[in-house]
């Protein structure tokens, strides 16, 4: 009994001594304290997750699970179309699939409240809900291509200035992409991707060719072909870029003149179907009413 008490007392003294000496023995050295001071922050370790983020994550998990159970794989065409629209997040295909699943259900649910031809409206709104994501994606791709087309002359002018100032093509590309960040975000995104591909070890012309394949614009394809010929035959890049920029602006002016000339024909239909009937009513209605009144009085 006495041995047990002595052992317990010794163990207690050892624990107390260890607790007292632990801060001294386990104290980090000067280098570790300096690193802790550098990385120290007053922000909480865990970020607060909002209810919206939780809902989005739940919808994505449900969409991903449904797609895997049905055995539907992500098509390369959808990935390519999302890339053309400038959407490159990893969750974009799942969000698109969730929209294609939920919007028809939402349309059918709203159509169930319509009195008369309920099944027709359920089918119609379901089809509209299913086709809406594809229509939205197609329109997004078209608008992005149009923004890139409009930003191309300014981009080439900046390239001419940078190359004429003595920068190489790669340095000029990096400088121009920084300058376009505020005004032409889509073009800046594509140029930065070309720069990243070159930094990853891809040849320059192959990276530019990938740009032409991604955007699929006639102007971009012609620009890449011009760069390829310039590099192959040793033509001065400044002269080629200046001439190409002048041709682009000329085509832009011709396109604007063509659109202005088409308005003369397009305005005929609103005039005939909207404005002329109103003019006829305003001009002929008093005469018609006067003739009708005269005929009524004559008949009496």
């Amino acid at each position: 009994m006495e041995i047990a008490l002595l052992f317990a007392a010794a163990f207690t003294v050892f624990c107390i001594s260890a607790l007292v000496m632990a801060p001294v023995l386990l104290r980090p050295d000067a280098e570790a304290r300096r690193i802790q001071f550098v990385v120290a922050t007053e922000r909480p370790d865990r970020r607060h997750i909002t209810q919206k983020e939780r809902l989005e994550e739940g919808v994505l998990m449900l969409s991903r699970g449904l797609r895997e159970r049905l055995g539907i794989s992500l098509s390369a065409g959808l990935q390519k179309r999302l890339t053309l629209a400038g959407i490159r997040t990893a969750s974009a295909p799942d969000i698109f699939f969730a929209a294609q699943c939920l919007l028809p259900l939402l349309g059918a649910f709203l159509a169930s409240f319509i009195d008369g031809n309920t099944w027709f409206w359920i089918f119609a709104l379901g089809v509209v809900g299913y086709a809406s994501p594809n229509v939205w994606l197609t329109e997004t791709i078209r608008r992005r291509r149009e923004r890139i087309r409009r930003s191309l002359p300014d981009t080439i002018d900046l390239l001419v200035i940078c190359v004429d100032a003595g920068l190489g093509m790669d340095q000029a590309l990096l400088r121009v992409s920084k300058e376009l960040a505020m005004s032409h975000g889509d073009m800046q995104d594509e140029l930065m991707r070309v720069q990243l591909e070159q930094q990853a070890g891809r040849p320059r012309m192959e990276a530019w060719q990938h740009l032409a394949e991604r955007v699929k614009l006639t102007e971009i394809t012609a620009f890449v072909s011009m760069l390829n010929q310039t590099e192959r035959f040793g033509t001065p890049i400044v002269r080629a870029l200046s001439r190409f920029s002048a041709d682009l602006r000329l085509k832009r002016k011709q396109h604007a003149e063509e659109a202005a000339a088409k308005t003369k024909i397009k305005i005929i239909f609103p005039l005939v179907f909207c404005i002329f009937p109103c003019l006829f009513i305003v001009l002929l209605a008093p005469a018609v009413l006067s003739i009708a009144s005269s005929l009524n009085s004559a008949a009496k």
Side-chain angles (χ1 to χ4, degrees), residues 217-242:
L217 279 176
T218 306
E219 292 83 357
I220 296 291
T221 305
F223 176 65
V224 173
S225 300
M226 183 268 297
L227 289 180
N228 192 8
Q229 293 177 2
T230 301
E231 185 172 348
R232 181 180 300 176
F233 299 109
T235 308
I237 186 67
V238 177
R239 185 186 305 172
L241 287 174
S242 301

Side-chain angles (χ1 to χ4, degrees), residues 44-108:
D45 294 336
R46 298 182 63 183
R47 185 177 65 89
H48 178 67
I49 301 176
T50 61
Q51 190 69 25
K52 180 181 178 181
E53 292 176 340
R54 293 177 181 175
L55 179 61
E56 291 178 355
E57 185 65 24
V59 172
L60 288 178
M61 291 180 61
L62 181 62
S63 172
R64 194 177 296 114
L66 180 62
R67 181 172 54 81
E68 291 176 355
R69 288 189 177 184
L70 295 177
I72 301 175
S73 60
L74 296 176
S75 62
L78 177 59
Q79 293 279 7
K80 191 173 183 179
R81 293 184 66 198
L82 291 172
T83 304
L84 289 175
I87 305 172
R88 299 189 178 95
T89 57
S91 60
D94 292 321
I95 294 175
F96 188 84
F97 180 76
Q100 283 188 323
C101 292
L102 294 178
L103 288 180
L105 297 178
L106 179 61

Side-chain angles (χ1 to χ4, degrees), residues 73-281:
S73 60
L74 296 176
S75 62
L78 177 59
Q79 293 279 7
K80 191 173 183 179
R81 293 184 66 198
L82 291 172
T83 304
L84 289 175
I87 305 172
R88 299 189 178 95
T89 57
S91 60
D94 292 321
I95 294 175
F96 188 84
F97 180 76
Q100 283 188 323
C101 292
L102 294 178
L103 288 180
L105 297 178
L106 179 61
F109 175 74
L110 295 177
S112 63
F113 294 98
I114 301 177
D115 295 333
N117 295 328
T118 305
W119 288 108
F120 169 77
W121 288 110
I122 289 175
F123 177 77
L125 292 183
V127 172
V128 170
Y130 181 79
S132 296
N134 286 311
V135 174
W136 173 82
L137 186 58
T138 303
E139 183 66 18
T140 304
I141 294 172
R142 187 192 65 80
R143 290 182 179 180
R144 187 170 185 268
R145 284 177 176 171
E146 185 63 26
R147 290 194 298 267
I148 292 176
R149 179 186 288 110
R150 292 181 179 179
S151 64
L152 187 58
D154 297 335
T155 303
I156 297 178
D157 288 341
L158 289 175
L159 281 175
V160 170
I161 294 172
C162 293
V163 174
D164 198 13
L167 295 178
M169 191 62 186
D170 297 336
Q171 290 79 10
L173 180 64
L174 183 60
R175 179 65 180 176
V176 169
S177 62
K178 291 180 180 179
E179 293 293 333
L180 295 176
M182 296 296 294
S183 57
H184 304 293
D186 298 308
M187 194 67 187
Q188 188 259 351
D189 185 26
E190 294 295 338
L191 293 181
M192 287 300 298
R193 190 162 185 180
V194 172
Q195 186 72 19
L196 291 175
E197 287 185 3
Q198 293 183 20
Q199 291 177 2
R202 196 180 296 276
R204 178 192 300 173
M205 294 315 305
E206 189 175 347
W208 282 105
Q209 190 64 36
H210 286 174
L211 171 64
E213 293 175 357
R214 284 196 307 270
V215 181
K216 291 184 178 180
L217 279 176
T218 306
E219 292 83 357
I220 296 291
T221 305
F223 176 65
V224 173
S225 300
M226 183 268 297
L227 289 180
N228 192 8
Q229 293 177 2
T230 301
E231 185 172 348
R232 181 180 300 176
F233 299 109
T235 308
I237 186 67
V238 177
R239 185 186 305 172
L241 287 174
S242 301
R243 185 169 298 177
F244 188 79
S245 176
D247 292 340
L248 273 182
R249 295 192 180 277
L250 179 61
K251 290 180 181 179
R252 197 183 205 175
K253 182 179 179 181
Q254 292 174 351
H255 181 71
E257 292 176 352
E258 181 184 359
K262 288 181 180 179
T263 55
K264 298 178 182 179
I265 306 301
K266 293 179 180 179
I267 203 172
I268 292 177
F269 299 99
L271 284 174
V272 172
F273 294 105
C274 299
I275 298 178
F276 283 171
C278 297
L279 290 176
F280 291 153
I281 291 173

